[in-house]
Amino acid sequence: MLKRIITLWSFALALLANAHEGMWLPTLLKSIEGDLQAAGLQLTAEDIYSINKGSLKDAIVLFGGGCTAEVIGQKGLILTNHHCGFGAITDHSTVENDRLKNGFWAASLSEELRNPGLTATFVVRMEDVSDRILPLLEAGLNEAQRRDAVNKLAEGITKEAVAGTHYKAVVRPFNYGNSYFLIVTETFRDVRLVGAPPSAIGKFGGDTDNWMWPRHNADFSLFRIYTGPDGRPADPADANVPMIPRHVLPMSLEGPREGEYAMIFGFPGNTQRYLSSYAVNYVQNTADPMRIAMRTASLGVIDAAMRTSDRTRLQYADKQAGISNAWKKWIGEVRGLKELNTLQRKQDYEAAYTAKAKAEGQAEYAKALTTLEGLYGQYVPYATARDMFVEMVYYGPEVLRFTDGFREVVEEHGKLTSEGKYAQALSERLTASESYFQNYDVEVDKAVFKALLPIYRKHVPANLAPDVLKEIDARFKGNSDAWVDALYAKSVFVDEERLRKAFRNPSAGAMKKLAKDPLFRATRSFFRSFLEQVRPTHAALSDQIETAMRTYVKGMMVLYPEKTYWPDANSTLRLSYGKVEGSRPRNGVTYEAFTTLDGVLEKYVPGDVEFDVPQRLIELYRAKDYGRYGVNGSLPVCFTSSLHTTGGNSGSPVLNGRGELIGLNFDRTWESTMSDIQFDPDKCRNICVDVRYLLFLIDKFAGAGHLLEEMVLVQPAMQTIALPLHR
């Protein structure tokens, strides 16, 4: 037994110490500076993150709400992924002027396109404020009380941090609330589209290649940040001017070299490195499989519809991308977790953890795991109902969330009227419906509803299912397709003209009639079952799990203090490091680190929705007209590196040891998708566009060489770093 415990302890320590694993807070880089420089970094931690001078952090942008971008031009030019700019590019596309399909390149500042609501956010500074919060929290608080107490303390800290400035600030929890950081930011509100390659280049390979290696697409787009004349953030306006950045990332014309040091700087969204075995079991064996089934059914309908016409393709391009990305990721995640035997490894670690806690008289930490086991027994049915609600309502038939948008004007007619707010509320809904119906196909939506409903009913616990679904058996003899047909046939919410007619005279009586509309009734039943039966219990159990996890993770740090712990990603600025390298993900399979333009033409299928290639690119390939970006008669396209990434790292710069941009991160290999839960340094690789392919496309393919005039291009022989630009 003692030998077994020692073995488990050794295994646990190995599990926590994978090479290159970690998404490091920039404020803590000093503590691993030696490791970074031993790996090949030629900068200091101060060069990467500084509040006293321009540093690499001042070129890193939170793009919109969920991607990363970076400053690469002296006039506020920023680089991000094509799929991050996808929504903006689509918004500027029509059947007559299809910028998504054909690409877009602004020849001058005046041609750059505004994007209402799109923002670019920089981190001004980060500060550990744990000692200003944790000692002031009373013992015995439940999770809700603790949140309230933290929020009150954080309010004072953030107000003090931004007093007299135009900055914003937030206090974020890390390690399940074992520590807290203040993050001060500056957000710019005028971000304009500058350039994007044709989708046949930016999304070459489509869903077939998504999450796969080898890869041959140039997943990039260019935007520009504008400020008011005073250099401060401003709403979009003609008087605005290009931003003067504090730091511009140099672009390495040498590009990446196999085996060299590499790092990525960005805003990774969410990892779950410290999950218990009970949570992993739910993800691997319940959540992912049922979500995969839902999205497989939905994509079967949408993909077929998109092939029928350009109009439908444009209507559903952004929606399809949003559905398919996680779908394929989850398929790889399940496979990866099983291949790595993650569930068993978690269980072994927990056995070692429990034994060590008991041996050292730390019963509190051992008890945390017992608590988690009991909580998950109660949690799984509610988590299942919640996950299926999200898949059905937010990623399924659009009519459900569209109809729910009218809830207030239908059900609260009297209240809004008495407050004099009804006319405005109704006008806002009807105005929003105009753009909705422009991108809505009722037959596609109905087919999605029919495809998902049987899967939804199979998985949702009967006692947590919407009451309206009882009609399927009671009135339609179990025929769910017939029930869906009846909903769409009799509802005003699937036709813009009928909808406007229904609200032409919005009296109280008319609203009572609309409340009986079949799709309105169905929508309200879906939301009511979730909001009343599922969410309260789910939230309460989630809070209890959060409390137990805080103790469990704290126990890791107490029991294994020799380990440097990195906090899970939470959309805050992080740095990961590794090197440019290929991999051997499975027996007999070897992935080389680089791809070239030869591979694009090998995959080329004329007229294919995923593998067509623009004629201009073919001509340049045949002429071998690569300019200064070619290498030995070929053109580098993509590469892999062993950097720890996740969603939110899309668009992040991949940098060499001198802080020069060598690539643009856009994906992970399929064998890496489990890395949010378990990172494997031998398998996990992120996928990047080679900087030389980016520059070639901007310069030689698009003829937008004027954009290169803004950039700091570093020749291979220079081996120097451009000085940061200061405001």
Side-chain angles (χ1 to χ4, degrees):
M1 181 63 184
L2 179 60
K3 183 178 180 181
R4 167 67 171 164
I5 292 174
I6 293 173
T7 301
L8 287 174
W9 283 354
S10 300
F11 177 82
L13 292 174
L15 184 66
L16 289 170
N18 283 331
H20 301 322
E21 179 184 353
M23 298 179 178
W24 303 97
L25 287 165
T27 54
L28 303 179
L29 291 180
K30 194 69 179 176
S31 66
I32 61 167
E33 185 177 62
D35 293 336
L36 292 169
Q37 292 176 340
L41 177 67
Q42 298 176 40
L43 307 175
T44 66
E46 179 79 3
D47 293 326
I48 297 173
Y49 172 87
S50 176
I51 61 174
N52 299 312
K53 64 178 183 177
S55 59
L56 289 185
K57 81 155 170 65
D58 298 306
I60 311 303
V61 179
L62 176 60
F63 183 81
C67 281
T68 302
E70 51 276 352
V71 180
I72 61 167
Q74 299 176 23
K75 297 179 181 178
L77 186 68
I78 61 174
L79 172 69
T80 190
N81 285 154
H82 185 270
H83 74 259
C84 294
F86 196 84
I89 302 166
T90 303
D91 287 345
H92 291 298
S93 299
T94 63
V95 174
E96 295 75 24
N97 187 9
D98 195 342
R99 293 180 169 116
L100 181 64
K101 180 179 181 180
N102 302 321
F104 169 75
W105 304 95
S108 64
L109 295 178
S110 63
E111 293 184 10
E112 295 174 358
L113 303 175
R114 296 181 188 176
N115 303 282
L118 182 60
T119 59
T121 300
F122 293 84
V123 171
V124 176
R125 65 185 177 91
M126 301 176 69
E127 178 186 342
D128 188 344
V129 293
S130 303
D131 60 353
R132 299 178 64 182
I133 291 179
L134 293 176
L136 301 180
L137 298 178
E138 296 179 10
L141 297 178
N142 62 35
E143 202 63 28
Q145 292 168 334
R146 192 179 195 272
R147 271 197 303 272
D148 288 342
V150 169
N151 288 340
K152 289 178 182 177
L153 293 168
E155 184 178 359
I157 293 171
T158 56
K159 282 184 178 179
E160 175 188 305
V162 300
T165 75
H166 62 278
Y167 298 146
K168 295 181 179 179
V170 65
V171 171
R172 299 290 297 274
F174 291 79
N175 285 329
Y176 295 91
N178 281 301
S179 60
Y180 290 86
F181 275 76
L182 167 72
I183 304 171
V184 180
T185 59
E186 182 177 33
T187 297
F188 294 86
R189 304 185 296 277
D190 190 350
V191 182
R192 305 184 191 181
L193 177 62
V194 174
S199 57
I201 290 176
K203 202 180 177 184
F204 181 78
D207 287 336
T208 299
D209 274 5
N210 191 23
W211 298 104
M212 307 302 286
W213 183 259
R215 204 63 167 275
H216 298 89
N217 62 319
D219 192 345
F220 81 99
S221 56
L222 297 168
F223 290 78
R224 190 184 307 281
I225 302 171
Y226 282 74
T227 72
D230 60 358
R232 290 191 173 193
D235 292 331
D238 292 341
N240 288 351
V241 297
M243 182 188 76
I244 300 174
R246 283 173 56 84
H247 185 80
V248 175
L249 294 182
M251 311 281 276
S252 170
L253 288 172
E254 183 180 33
R257 292 178 291 110
E258 187 161 11
E260 78 169 319
Y261 172 90
M263 59 185 174
I264 190 168
F265 212 2
F267 294 88
N270 181 54
T271 57
Q272 300 170 299
R273 182 64 180 87
Y274 304 107
L275 283 184
S276 69
S277 63
Y278 316 110
V280 171
N281 185 40
Y282 174 69
V283 170
Q284 176 181 303
N285 298 315
T286 302
D288 279 3
M290 68 186 182
R291 292 186 296 185
I292 290 166
M294 290 285 277
R295 296 200 181 194
T296 299
S298 180
L299 289 169
V301 173
I302 293 173
D303 288 349
M306 288 178 67
R307 296 188 182 99
T308 62
S309 71
D310 282 341
R311 175 177 173 78
T312 307
R313 175 180 57 80
L314 284 173
Q315 285 178 322
Y316 282 87
D318 202 15
K319 304 168 192 174
Q320 192 271 357
I323 294 169
S324 65
N325 192 54
W327 164 76
K328 197 164 186 178
K329 185 249 186 182
W330 291 329
I331 294 172
E333 181 173 74
V334 170
R335 186 179 73 172
L337 291 173
K338 289 180 177 179
E339 286 180 353
L340 291 177
N341 200 21
T342 300
L343 181 56
Q344 184 61 55
R345 294 173 77 173
K346 287 280 186 179
Q347 291 169 343
D348 288 347
Y349 171 75
E350 289 165 5
Y353 174 103
T354 300
K356 187 172 176 63
K358 290 179 177 178
E360 296 184 5
Q362 302 281 3
E364 174 188 8
Y365 302 129
K367 184 181 177 182
L369 280 169
T370 305
T371 300
L372 285 168
E373 181 180 16
L375 288 171
Y376 268 91
Q378 305 170 58
Y379 176 74
V380 167
Y382 291 92
T384 299
R386 178 202 173 274
D387 287 346
M388 293 305 284
F389 171 80
V390 169
E391 289 300 314
M392 188 70 183
V393 173
Y394 290 100
Y395 293 94
E398 295 175 84
V399 73
L400 292 176
R401 50 194 182 275
F402 173 70
T403 303
D404 183 65
F406 286 85
R407 182 199 63 79
E408 188 178 38
V409 296
V410 172
E411 293 187 341
E412 299 184 23
H413 176 274
K415 177 177 179 290
L416 291 172
T417 300
S418 66
E419 295 174 351
K421 298 178 180 178
Y422 188 84
Q424 181 181 347
L426 179 58
S427 175
E428 289 173 355
R429 293 315 313 160
L430 293 178
T431 298
S433 71
E434 293 176 8
S435 59
Y436 170 80
F437 280 110
Q438 287 176 2
N439 293 307
Y440 180 72
D441 187 306
V442 64
E443 294 303 322
V444 174
D445 199 53
K446 187 197 303 182
V448 169
F449 205 142
K450 289 180 178 180
L452 298 190
L453 189 54
I455 305 169
Y456 176 87
R457 296 182 73 197
K458 173 184 176 182
H459 290 286
V460 174
N463 64 314
L464 301 177
D467 287 340
V468 73
L469 298 184
K470 295 176 182 178
E471 295 177 0
I472 297 173
D473 294 324
R475 295 175 50 201
F476 292 86
K477 299 179 180 180
N479 188 335
S480 59
D481 283 0
W483 180 72
V484 173
D485 282 332
L487 293 182
Y488 281 74
K490 298 177 181 179
S491 177
V492 303
F493 291 96
V494 296
D495 182 272
E496 187 174 13
E497 184 177 343
R498 289 167 60 192
L499 179 66
R500 289 188 174 277
K501 184 178 179 181
F503 281 100
R504 194 166 294 160
N505 296 303
S507 63
M511 294 306 101
K512 287 182 180 180
K513 183 178 179 181
L514 266 177
K516 297 178 182 178
D517 179 280
L519 268 172
F520 188 85
R521 286 182 57 251
T523 297
R524 294 309 306 140
S525 185
F526 270 95
F527 274 89
R528 195 174 295 114
S529 67
F530 172 70
L531 295 173
E532 296 177 4
Q533 297 174 266
V534 178
R535 189 168 71 173
T537 303
H538 181 273
L541 290 169
S542 295
D543 277 353
Q544 294 176 57
I545 289 171
E546 182 79 3
T547 302
M549 282 298 298
R550 183 179 305 116
T551 303
Y552 174 45
V553 172
K554 184 179 179 181
M556 293 180 183
M557 300 173 188
V558 171
L559 297 173
Y560 304 105
E562 66 280 4
K563 168 67 179 175
T564 302
Y565 293 85
W566 58 273
D568 270 321
N570 59 355
S571 296
T572 55
L573 189 59
R574 306 294 182 94
L575 182 139
S576 299
Y577 71 101
K579 59 184 178 180
V580 177
E581 59 181 328
S583 62
R584 299 186 64 185
R586 296 186 301 281
N587 181 257
V589 176
T590 299
Y591 288 159
E592 295 181 356
F594 295 91
T595 61
T596 67
L597 193 58
D598 297 300
V600 175
L601 274 295
E602 288 173 4
K603 291 180 177 179
Y604 170 45
V605 181
D608 186 83
V609 69
E610 294 184 320
F611 293 101
D612 202 357
V613 175
Q615 187 61 34
R616 170 66 175 159
L617 187 61
I618 295 173
E619 292 169 356
L620 290 167
Y621 171 76
R622 288 174 176 167
K624 304 300 179 187
D625 187 5
Y626 303 144
R628 54 181 168 172
Y629 314 110
V631 179
N632 298 325
S634 65
L635 180 66
V637 170
C638 293
F639 67 94
T640 60
S641 50
S642 53
L643 305 177
H644 195 175
T645 64
T646 188
N649 276 126
S650 290
S652 295
V654 178
L655 308 167
N656 62 20
R658 299 183 296 276
E660 301 161 357
L661 190 142
I662 57 174
L664 179 67
N665 181 77
F666 69 92
D667 208 352
R668 285 174 281 173
T669 61
W670 210 27
E671 293 83 2
S672 308
T673 53
M674 75 295 178
S675 63
D676 291 347
I677 296 173
Q678 182 173 345
F679 184 84
D680 184 336
D682 295 324
K683 286 188 176 185
C684 292
R685 298 292 181 268
N686 63 306
I687 305 175
C688 323
V689 187
D690 193 300
V691 65
R692 293 164 291 189
Y693 192 39
L694 294 174
L695 294 171
F696 161 82
L697 289 168
I698 295 169
D699 187 4
K700 302 288 290 183
F701 174 83
H706 61 283
L707 295 175
L708 273 64
E709 295 174 5
E710 303 180 39
M711 303 177 192
V712 179
L713 302 180
V714 181
Q715 300 288 343
M718 290 172 62
Q719 301 288 305
T720 59
I721 303 170
L723 292 175
L725 297 174
H726 294 274
R727 292 182 194 159

